[in-house]
Amino acid sequence: MMKEWATVVSWQQGVALLRCEPKAGCGSCNARSGCGARALNELVPETEHQLQVRIEQPLEPGQRVEVGIAEGSLLRSAMLVYLTPLLGMMLGGSLLQYWLGTDASAALGALLGGGAAFMLARSLAHRLGEQADYQPIVLQIGLPPTALRVQAENSPLL
């Protein structure tokens, strides 16, 4: 199970809108100079991601929740998004190269095959996204921000 903490933005009628903060990278390995993930994080500005999760328990804005998704679902989704267009490009390029025998036809076939496979992946991803296995679930719920009160050691109770 892949887990991540998120902050509740709003909760209405059993649907919570959550904000997930991006991580700047793992920071735990020694391959900082040759790490591709670190290089991508420096290129792309950090943005916040929002997602909607069905949960019947009322939540307050600012409350922290832990959400999770099954690793198998995440891996299948990544394979669908990345491998389908790649296979379409290779298949389209090789088919037009075989039929017409020119490099230009191979390039055109790769573009057409990649585009068609991308559309197929998009359609399949939309269908898979509606299945329960591909939906994030709430694993833990933190206390609401109003539930804790900080008190100095010597101050009187109110």
Side-chain angles (χ1 to χ4, degrees), residues 112-136:
L112 293 175
F118 176 77
M119 297 306 285
L120 174 67
R122 186 175 176 191
S123 172
L124 289 174
H126 188 282
R127 272 195 245 154
L128 287 177
E130 295 172 356
Q131 293 181 6
D133 292 343
Y134 291 87
Q135 296 296 318

Side-chain angles (χ1 to χ4, degrees), residues 1-3 68-82 133-135:
M1 177 80 53
M2 300 293 293
K3 302 173 185 176
I69 189 166
E71 289 175 353
S73 300
L74 190 62
L75 289 174
R76 284 189 297 273
S77 297
M79 285 178 39
L80 175 69
V81 168
Y82 291 111
D133 292 343
Y134 291 87
Q135 296 296 318

